[in-house]
Amino acid sequence: MNQINRLEVKQLRIFQALISERSVSRVASQVGLTQQAVSEHLKKLRDIFSDELFLRKSNGLIPTPTAINLGKKVDTILQGLDKLLEPAVFEPSKIAQTYTIAATDYSQQVVLPGLLPKLRALAPNLKVVIRDIATDRLEELMSEAKVDLIVADSDINSDLYSSITLFTDYYVCVAAKSSPLVKKKLGLEEIASEPHLMASPLKSGAAGIIDGWFARHRLRRNVVMSTPCFTTVPQYLKKTDMLAFLPNRVASDSNLAILNLKNKPVEFDVIAAWHPRSDHDALHNWVVNLLRECV
């Protein structure tokens, strides 16, 4: 093992060239070294393998039986080293890894339903884990590679990660279709006084966005009930007098009435974020590009 540790890739290249050229001068010209430098490397090789390796004859160097036996092995080693630098061919259909996505309630409703069928179709052996986002442990989970991709709104601290903006959505005010407010054009002051169902998904800034919007207009909405996810809002509103704010892409599928407001709805970005170590990972980049196509 000590002898092997003394072996250098450059020496193997020189050995390979000597087997082919049988001339120190031609090898020196080929590898860009002086004849003396090539001879020094050959001397080290002889010491490492305890063999002359090449005998000087009038017609050039003659490899010894040990050198001939080593020749094929050295060729195999150098070919293997060369392959280390070859770009890997990425074939989604052959990927059999586990890929974990942390997503908000919103993203699980709006973004992932478009992505997951494509992942199943193109990478049937890929195991996908979807988990609720946990902002208080997100940095830890990302650094420990327990989460590969985040799909969330932009209140995630994306400065720590590589990220892209997928699209922009906005909040709308919704109510049961039977609500008397459906036919009116409503100002924020009138909306604020109505009973509100606050949809505040766990680890989401949804409630803060809406309350901040009202606060900028020096108003405070009348919250009479809260729910931890968007999915339950339609069931709670259909038979009550409450209002709620939902992202437009969620509200459009909710079978609720979208109220006509005088003020511009609140916008937010939806992003995909990941740890910078994945920037050049073939599987990760493929998933992100597929996600771009879906949205």
Side-chain angles (χ1 to χ4, degrees):
M1 184 60 71
N2 289 336
Q3 296 293 75
I4 290 295
N5 288 340
R6 293 169 55 200
L7 198 58
E8 299 175 5
V9 174
K10 182 185 290 186
Q11 293 167 350
L12 294 180
R13 299 282 187 197
I14 289 171
F15 175 87
Q16 187 183 53
L18 287 170
I19 287 282
S20 174
E21 299 294 335
R22 312 289 175 93
S23 166
V24 170
S25 60
R26 286 199 294 272
V27 169
S29 176
Q30 187 181 102
V31 300
L33 295 173
T34 64
Q35 292 185 43
Q36 182 179 353
V38 171
S39 295
E40 284 296 321
H41 281 298
L42 178 54
K43 182 179 178 181
K44 292 177 182 178
L45 286 167
R46 284 169 170 161
D47 183 47
I48 291 169
F49 290 106
S50 300
D51 189 88
E52 282 296 300
L53 298 178
F54 297 93
L55 304 176
R56 294 185 184 276
K57 300 293 182 180
S58 59
N59 58 342
L61 298 178
I62 304 298
T64 67
T66 297
I68 292 172
N69 184 46
L70 284 171
K72 293 181 180 179
K73 296 179 181 178
V74 169
D75 286 345
T76 300
I77 290 170
L78 292 177
Q79 287 170 11
L81 289 173
D82 289 339
K83 286 180 180 179
L84 288 176
L85 298 177
E86 292 179 1
V89 177
F90 178 73
E91 297 183 47
S93 62
K94 295 182 179 179
I95 292 296
Q97 296 174 222
T98 298
Y99 193 83
T100 302
I101 302 173
T104 56
D105 174 61
Y106 170 88
S107 299
Q108 291 183 47
Q109 289 187 68
V110 173
V111 183
L112 298 189
L115 173 67
L116 299 183
K118 291 192 175 184
L119 289 179
R120 285 295 304 139
L122 299 174
N125 299 312
L126 179 67
K127 293 178 175 59
V128 180
V129 176
I130 309 298
R131 60 181 297 167
D132 288 331
I133 209 154
T135 53
D136 53 346
R137 293 187 58 230
L138 199 52
E139 188 175 348
E140 173 191 344
L141 294 171
M142 292 286 276
S143 64
E144 294 178 359
K146 292 179 179 178
V147 168
D148 298 297
L149 183 68
I150 301 167
V151 185
D153 43 76
S154 54
D155 69 329
I156 296 297
N157 186 5
S158 57
D159 291 341
L160 297 173
Y161 315 116
S162 299
S163 65
I164 57 169
T165 298
L166 297 174
F167 57 87
T168 298
D169 201 355
Y170 56 92
Y171 280 92
V172 293
C173 189
V174 294
K177 288 185 175 180
S178 59
S179 171
L181 301 176
V182 170
K183 297 179 181 180
K184 297 182 179 180
K185 188 167 186 177
L186 304 161
L188 279 188
E189 188 170 347
E190 186 176 0
I191 285 290
S193 64
E194 294 289 335
H196 282 245
L197 169 64
M198 182 173 69
S200 181
L202 296 174
K203 309 303 180 184
S204 166
I209 291 174
I210 301 302
D211 288 334
W213 186 43
F214 277 98
R216 286 194 295 275
H217 290 85
R218 298 182 179 181
L219 295 170
R220 184 174 181 177
R221 57 179 173 153
N222 178 26
V223 176
V224 297
M225 191 179 297
S226 65
T227 180
C229 57
F230 292 132
T231 51
T232 55
V233 170
Q235 284 72 34
Y236 295 158
L237 291 192
K238 284 176 183 177
K239 295 182 179 181
T240 70
D241 60 345
M242 293 185 293
L243 312 178
F245 279 85
L246 290 178
N248 181 59
R249 294 196 186 201
V250 172
S252 60
D253 293 330
S254 68
N255 201 31
L256 294 170
I258 296 177
L259 302 182
N260 186 6
L261 303 187
K262 295 178 182 178
N263 298 75
K264 183 179 179 181
V266 181
E267 294 185 346
F268 63 95
D269 290 332
V270 177
I271 67 168
W274 58 90
H275 196 282
R277 68 167 165 270
S278 298
D279 284 347
H280 303 292
D281 179 74
L283 170 60
H284 171 77
N285 288 331
W286 178 73
V287 172
V288 171
N289 286 330
L290 204 60
L291 184 59
R292 289 179 196 261
E293 294 174 11
C294 293
V295 300

